[in-house]
Amino acid sequence: MSKTETTEQRDGLGDAGEQLSTAPREETDGVLGGPTLGVVGWIRWFWRQLTSMRVALILLFLLSLGAVPGSLIPQTSADEFKVADFKKAHETLAPLYEKLQLFDVYSSVWFSAIYILLFVSLIGCIVPRTWQFVGQLRGLPPGAPKRLTRLPAYTTWRTGASPEEVREAALGVLKGRRFRTRAAGDAVAAEKGYLREAGNLLFHIALIVMLVAFAWGQLFKSEGGKLVVEGDGFSNTLTQYDDFKSGSQFAVDELEPFSFTLDSFTGTYETSGPQTGTPRTFEAAVTYTRGGGKDEKAVIRVNEPLKLGDSKVYLIAHGYAPVVTVRDRDGKVVFTGAVPLLPIDNNLTSSGAIKVMDGYRDKNGEKQQLGFKAFFVPTFAGAGKGSMFSQFPALVDPVMALTGYHGSLGVDSGLPQNVYQLDTTKMKQFEVEGGTGVAQRLAPGQTMTLPDGAGSITFEKDIKEWASFQVTQQPGNGLALAGAIAAIAGLTGSLFIQRRRVWVRAVRGEDGTTVVEMAGLGRSESTKLPEELADLAVALTATAPPAPEPAEAEASEGVEK
């Protein structure tokens, strides 16, 4: 007996027990005591291991495990500032993380190696199994084993119908139950459940599709953020973004040509109950243009993006932009406009900076820059209440606290600077006599006068709102969704469809009656096979009813005599 003979063959089942699955057989030649392999033999052994389902599952687990650091550790591709802050806070761990490429997990050598090996493993496993499955579909159910009594599900009876009538009836019953059938000698062979293996193959092909979609999306994606104040606009060019990141194969000329203006932002909130302050309406009305065409209106809501070609514009945040006017000592306006402030809590308590870079001169006529730290609350608790934090996110009683500085903002150094923070390294706070710093709370329409006639800043009654948008271009999303749906469908088929075979043998007995044998064979998990075989036997007895056993027939004849 050769090593390739299976357990079923040794049990006398022959081809009847073969190919219930297209899973590759486990071979141990050349390992664990087998004959020594040459170079080609080792290559073949390595290839068999790589393309096995066991290794594919291990690689899939390693890929999931490798993605964990990408979720827990700041990534350079997502936020360079967070990475820089992490390195400052963890001076010991940072060099180790850099060597392990944990700040760039998804483009690291080790993650790419797992990804490529998984891709090769799945393809190397699926291709031969697909050809084998196609061969099974083109083939016919195997003939009946010599000894049907060896099969796990078996039944037999005697009938007065001829063997030909029994086999003809068996063909009709099995075809009616959607079995593939054929007459083979003195038996009828039938098989059912081919879609189980089709579902299995579909599941693994879908995994490849999702891997391709993930790689495609990472290489050709683009994602940028833009904060837009009511009345202002945005054009989809690289210089217009506040922040922008893209895949390594993305070209700037692939940006979708469009522009839009934020007409208004509408936000309403729950005013009572345990959900006080929860947003009820959160939408941005925009006017947009595609490729220089005519203006169109749209409303962007959370999870309802504006689709413009291959790009989607998402509404992700909003806040307030108080309008301020800054004048110099001569009353000349040196700055006026809406200043976006960033929220620091759910009630939209906001902070930021007002920067006057040009046009201001001190009492000596020298050019100087002004800066103001701003703290804004849309709903003030009230003087003497002990809290400057907002009590509600809507504009009920807006107040802004300002602290003034003069000197150099540091914007001329050429280094990037956060527009929402004020660098006071080269600035001095405005002070009154006695050295007290100047900080003042203003209501809309009020003015803060700077000491020594240095000028003033007015909190205008007009308070605008801003909305933050994210513009994404992710080409692999549709393919990934199709792959996910196909994977679920394939997995469902492979779990709930059972592959099984049934044989019906009808031969003439020594006493002239027909002996009918029915047997079934399925995979180990086919627990309902005996029930199905019994149901088929009952259906067949309508044409081939059981005949009395010889002893019973003789006893019946004696009674009649």
Side-chain angles (χ1 to χ4, degrees):
M1 184 181 291
S2 67
K3 290 182 179 180
T4 58
E5 287 182 319
T6 63
T7 303
E8 290 86 355
Q9 287 175 311
R10 289 195 298 269
D11 290 340
L13 299 182
D15 292 338
E18 289 292 315
Q19 296 182 346
L20 275 172
S21 170
T22 58
R25 300 171 185 167
E26 295 291 335
E27 300 182 18
T28 58
D29 292 353
V31 293
L32 299 178
T36 304
L37 298 177
V39 175
V40 175
W42 277 109
I43 293 175
R44 293 179 61 188
W45 178 85
F46 176 79
W47 177 253
R48 286 197 300 269
Q49 301 306 309
L50 179 62
T51 56
S52 67
M53 277 294 100
R54 179 178 63 252
V55 172
L57 290 174
I58 292 173
L59 290 171
L60 188 61
F61 172 74
L62 290 177
L63 192 71
S64 303
L65 196 64
V68 172
S71 302
L72 301 178
I73 300 173
Q75 299 295 293
T76 303
S77 60
D79 196 328
E80 295 182 3
F81 293 105
K82 285 187 177 180
V83 173
D85 292 340
F86 185 91
K87 290 179 179 179
K88 290 179 181 179
H90 303 84
E91 296 181 356
T92 303
L93 285 177
L96 177 61
Y97 282 7
E98 282 186 319
K99 290 181 180 180
L100 296 176
Q101 297 179 298
L102 295 183
F103 295 118
D104 300 279
V105 168
Y106 303 111
S107 59
S108 64
V109 174
W110 55 269
F111 190 86
S112 300
I114 297 173
Y115 191 90
I116 294 172
L117 284 175
L118 177 60
F119 195 84
V120 173
S121 176
L122 289 173
I123 292 177
C125 180
I126 289 171
V127 171
R129 291 183 69 173
T130 301
W131 284 116
Q132 187 177 351
F133 179 59
V134 171
Q136 291 182 22
L137 290 177
R138 297 177 62 184
L140 295 172
K146 293 180 180 180
R147 299 179 181 87
L148 290 178
T149 54
R150 293 179 178 271
L151 298 180
Y154 174 81
T155 186
T156 183
W157 71 93
R158 303 165 65 86
T159 182
S162 68
E164 292 77 11
E165 290 176 334
V166 174
R167 289 193 288 269
E168 187 67 27
L171 284 171
V173 170
L174 291 169
K175 286 181 179 179
R177 304 296 177 90
R178 298 193 300 276
F179 278 83
R180 292 179 61 189
T181 61
R182 74 178 180 105
D186 59 1
V188 172
E191 188 167 5
K192 190 177 183 180
Y194 288 89
L195 288 179
R196 174 190 177 89
E197 190 60 29
N200 193 13
L201 291 173
L202 177 62
F203 172 73
H204 292 95
I205 292 172
L207 288 182
I208 294 179
V209 171
M210 287 191 289
L211 288 174
V212 171
F214 177 77
W216 186 17
Q218 289 298 311
L219 291 173
F220 295 95
K221 74 173 183 178
S222 69
E223 183 178 280
K226 179 63 178 180
L227 186 150
V228 183
V229 178
E230 287 177 326
D232 291 345
F234 166 76
S235 179
N236 193 29
T237 59
L238 189 60
T239 56
Q240 289 277 298
Y241 283 99
D242 295 331
D243 59 86
F244 184 85
K245 55 181 180 290
S246 63
S248 59
Q249 300 300 313
F250 181 83
V252 176
D253 56 6
E254 295 177 11
L255 287 172
E256 198 75 28
F258 68 86
S259 61
F260 67 84
T261 300
L262 176 60
D263 299 326
S264 64
F265 179 87
T266 302
T268 60
Y269 309 90
E270 188 67 40
T271 58
S272 61
Q275 294 186 335
T276 301
T278 302
R280 293 305 181 204
T281 304
F282 197 82
E283 58 186 36
V286 299
T287 301
Y288 67 94
T289 303
R290 283 187 284 192
K294 63 179 182 179
D295 290 347
E296 299 180 64
K297 299 285 187 179
V299 176
I300 306 175
R301 300 180 179 88
V302 178
N303 297 325
E304 295 182 20
L306 173 63
K307 298 180 181 179
L308 298 168
D310 294 332
S311 297
K312 292 182 180 180
V313 183
Y314 291 89
L315 174 64
I316 59 174
H318 105 286
Y320 294 103
V323 177
V324 299
T325 301
V326 181
R327 294 178 172 82
D328 62 11
R329 59 183 62 252
D330 297 325
K332 177 185 175 182
V333 175
V334 293
F335 175 85
T336 185
V339 182
L341 304 178
L342 299 182
I344 60 175
D345 62 20
N346 292 333
N347 285 328
L348 297 185
T349 302
S350 307
S351 65
I354 302 169
K355 301 179 181 182
V356 181
M357 302 181 188
D358 300 306
Y360 181 81
R361 295 179 181 273
D362 62 13
K363 59 183 179 180
N364 299 321
E366 299 291 336
K367 290 184 178 180
Q368 199 173 48
Q369 294 175 330
L370 300 180
F372 298 87
K373 289 183 178 180
F375 195 86
F376 175 81
V377 291
T379 301
F380 184 45
K385 296 296 181 66
S387 176
M388 183 57 190
F389 287 89
S390 179
Q391 305 301 300
F392 192 71
L395 290 172
V396 177
D397 184 16
V399 169
M400 182 166 59
L402 296 173
T403 304
Y405 296 83
H406 61 96
S408 173
L409 292 169
V411 295
D412 300 328
S413 62
L415 297 175
Q417 192 177 86
N418 192 326
V419 296
Y420 304 105
Q421 294 180 351
L422 189 65
D423 182 5
T424 59
T425 305
K426 299 180 179 180
M427 305 192 79
K428 292 183 179 181
Q429 186 176 350
F430 282 107
E431 297 179 351
V432 295
E433 294 182 6
T436 304
V438 176
Q440 185 175 336
R441 284 199 304 261
L442 301 177
Q446 293 183 339
T447 298
M448 172 182 174
T449 302
L450 301 177
D452 298 328
S456 66
I457 178 170
T458 301
F459 178 16
E460 304 291 350
K461 293 183 179 180
D462 183 19
I463 301 175
K464 294 186 177 181
E465 298 189 51
W466 58 260
S468 181
F469 300 93
Q470 185 178 68
V471 182
T472 63
Q473 197 165 325
Q474 194 90 22
N477 282 348
L479 190 62
L481 177 60
I485 294 173
I488 294 173
L491 185 60
T492 301
S494 66
L495 290 176
F496 295 102
I497 298 175
Q498 303 300 327
R499 183 86 172 269
R500 63 269 194 203
R501 291 169 180 162
V502 173
W503 294 273
V504 181
R505 176 174 284 147
V507 295
R508 185 76 65 179
E510 294 180 358
D511 59 353
T513 59
T514 300
V515 178
V516 182
E517 290 182 289
M518 289 188 70
L521 177 66
R523 294 171 65 87
S524 59
E525 66 269 19
S526 300
T527 56
K528 293 186 178 181
L529 182 61
E531 298 177 12
E532 185 175 27
L533 188 70
D535 187 40
L536 290 170
V538 170
L540 185 57
T541 56
T543 303
E549 293 295 327
E552 295 177 2
E554 292 176 3
S556 176
E557 290 176 2
V559 171
E560 290 177 0
K561 290 179 180 179

